[in-house]
Amino acid sequence: NAVSVSGDTLAVGAYAEESAASSVNGEQENNDAIGSGAVYVFRRTDSDWTQEAYVKPSNTGAGDYFGWSVALADDTLVVGAVREDSNS
């Protein structure tokens, strides 16, 4: 849904992703949080793109839509979670 590029780094928002993982590089195979969302970060080396990170919030919740929007500038990644409604 959302893509941002800065130099050789690409961030792709996947707001409908379903993993209940939290933080960076957690378990991607867990599908216990429908619509929680995630961001995939890729790095380009020459003509090859390699996944560098799998990003989830620290307070993952179903229906948060983390990754609805993304912005990447140098070493800074900003991620929108349009339906996040916790007190965290």
Side-chain angles (χ1 to χ4, degrees):
N1 188 59
V3 175
S4 184
V5 177
S6 179
D8 289 328
T9 306
L10 168 69
V12 179
Y15 73 89
E17 192 270 349
E18 299 180 344
S19 169
S22 60
S23 200
V24 177
N25 294 327
E27 182 186 348
Q28 297 181 43
E29 307 305 316
N30 174 324
N31 291 324
D32 292 339
I34 295 171
S36 58
V39 174
Y40 297 88
V41 179
F42 299 89
R43 172 96 46 197
R44 180 178 55 200
T45 303
D46 299 321
S47 62
D48 296 322
W49 288 93
T50 304
Q51 184 175 336
E52 184 171 84
Y54 168 72
V55 182
K56 297 287 285 190
S58 60
N59 63 334
T60 298
D64 285 349
Y65 286 6
F66 182 82
W68 182 264
S69 56
V70 295
L72 184 63
D74 299 321
D75 292 334
T76 302
L77 172 65
V78 178
V79 180
V82 70
R83 290 189 179 173
E84 201 284 330
D85 59 356
S86 74
N87 291 326
S88 296

